[in-house]
Amino acid sequence: MSRIQSIRTLISASIAALALLPAFAHSQALPAAAPAASTLDYRMNEHVIQVPAGPDDVTLETTVFQPNGAGPFPLIVINHGKGPGRPNLQPRDRFYHMASVFVKRGYAVMVPMRQGFSKSGGRYRDRGCDMTANGYTQAEDIRATLDYARQQPWIDGARMIVAGQSYGGLAAIALGTEALPGVRGLINFAGGLRDDSDRCAWRSQLVSAFADYGAKAKVPSLWMYGQNDSLFGPELAGRMHAAYIGAGGRGRLVEFPAFKRDAHGMLASRDGEKVWLQDTEQFLREIGMPTEVVVDVPAPPTPARTDYAQVDDIDAVPFLSEHGRRAYRDYLTKMTPRAFAVSASGGWTWAEEGEDPDGRALATCSAKSREPCRLYSVDDYVVWHDERIDQAEKAAATASVTPAPTPTAESDPTTSVGSTTAR
């Protein structure tokens, strides 16, 4: 069955609860096939809603995950950071790996894109060097999301928590200065906002901001920062936390060891759960929130391993020019999860870390290639399933492919790293 046929089957299929499993209260429905990168994940009833926020009919593009059933479910609202470039070009954040952990524990999950980001309305509101005001401004959209959630019958308005990563962490702590009915705790993952221009001393501004929030804090919090965080290292994280606690805030700081290349992207990694889950569960128990696994969410299907070649056999990869082979050699040094896609016209793309690297690699390659792209390898194994292409055929396929420019690497510490050349 083709990917398109699989997606159509998935969308048309009804979602039904499976039989009860001994170890769980209930089991999520399993779709017919793995969804493509741009589709919704029906294993966790993922859907996108528009949440009203402020005047002028502004709405927030908000991703929702939830268990099967009518609820009411406890709620976690997860808030995104700010990537490089224009906010309206930033893709919809899902925090898929964290969301799955909470859905398994019976929670509904809401991930709002704040004003000016992705497909949300309004405009991005920047208060410049005033980090205190930046946090308060972004917190307004989180408050609007909570106000909306309290009105929904499927949400338990008495059991809610708010989490945020990077800029979203700063906003979550700023939100904690308000009276928040039903919100029992805040989780700050590498919270802050960096400004590399010459206009302000942003580190000192962040310390002052957290001191202000601490003096007005009404909700307990958990803070998590990694030793190799490229934006907010241990010294700055310690200063921000000390200012918050010194001013009267309640929050435990967890300084975890170096995580891969950059701890700032820990929450977006499928391996991040090993870092944040234990301390988060402890915090949830302290504030009276559920921690027991009550829902079985099946793992997403993965491409099947084939016997086409060993993953490190560079010459076996079809259609690549010499430049493409150099790119594949570089790809083999990348972190897992990772994926490499190729096309018959000599296009190639790799994606590393973050959510759905195989889907991202396919989408980017196919968007820029004259021929459809397919996955060649995933993680540490090959998934290519054609007959081995002989050298003559490979030479014919790549003869017209001129060497591409040196590949570029785009780095977003909250998501992933990738390089592409597609034809």
Side-chain angles (χ1 to χ4, degrees), residues 133-150:
N134 279 323
Y136 283 134
T137 299
Q138 298 300 308
E140 293 174 7
D141 289 342
I142 308 176
R143 184 176 64 246
T145 304
L146 290 170
D147 291 342
Y148 172 87
R150 292 189 191 95

Side-chain angles (χ1 to χ4, degrees), residues 339-343 347-350 358 361-362 365 373-377:
F340 194 93
V342 297
S343 78
W348 55 265
T349 306
W350 58 261
D358 50 341
L362 277 174
C365 182
C373 293
R374 292 168 49 199
L375 290 176
Y376 177 78
S377 65

Side-chain angles (χ1 to χ4, degrees), residues 53 55-56 58-60 87-88 113-127 137-138 140-141:
D56 303 321
V58 169
T59 60
L60 308 178
N88 66 312
M113 300 301 295
R114 300 187 297 277
Q115 290 186 49
F117 287 91
S118 191
K119 294 182 176 62
S120 290
R123 59 181 179 82
Y124 172 62
R125 297 170 292 171
D126 181 8
R127 305 307 183 193
T137 299
Q138 298 300 308
E140 293 174 7
D141 289 342

Side-chain angles (χ1 to χ4, degrees), residues 65 67 71 280:
F65 301 92
T280 297

Side-chain angles (χ1 to χ4, degrees), residues 319-338:
F319 308 130
L320 294 184
S321 65
E322 181 58 34
H323 176 71
R325 285 191 287 274
R326 288 197 301 269
Y328 189 78
R329 184 178 294 107
D330 183 47
Y331 160 77
L332 293 175
T333 70
K334 304 306 176 184
M335 297 181 295
T336 57
R338 65 187 182 186

Side-chain angles (χ1 to χ4, degrees), residues 79-83 95 114 163-173 187-194 206 210 224-225 229 231-232 264-265 267 412-414:
N79 298 281
H80 63 84
K82 181 181 182 299
F95 290 98
R114 300 187 297 277
Q165 194 268 344
S166 196
Y167 201 3
L170 178 72
I173 297 299
I187 309 177
N188 167 20
F189 293 99
L193 178 64
R194 181 168 178 164
L206 280 178
F210 281 111
M224 300 195 72
Y225 289 78
D229 191 304
L231 302 186
F232 316 115
H264 200 72
L267 200 61
D412 177 349
T414 68

Side-chain angles (χ1 to χ4, degrees), residues 31-92:
S38 60
T39 64
L40 303 175
D41 193 327
Y42 285 77
R43 285 182 299 271
M44 299 193 294
N45 299 311
E46 180 182 6
H47 56 286
V48 179
I49 61 175
Q50 296 296 323
V51 170
D56 303 321
D57 297 321
V58 169
T59 60
L60 308 178
E61 179 190 32
T62 302
T63 303
V64 177
F65 301 92
Q66 63 190 76
N68 292 333
F73 308 109
L75 173 70
I76 179 170
V77 177
I78 311 175
N79 298 281
H80 63 84
K82 181 181 182 299
R86 294 168 53 186
N88 66 312
L89 298 180
Q90 184 167 318
R92 174 174 66 96

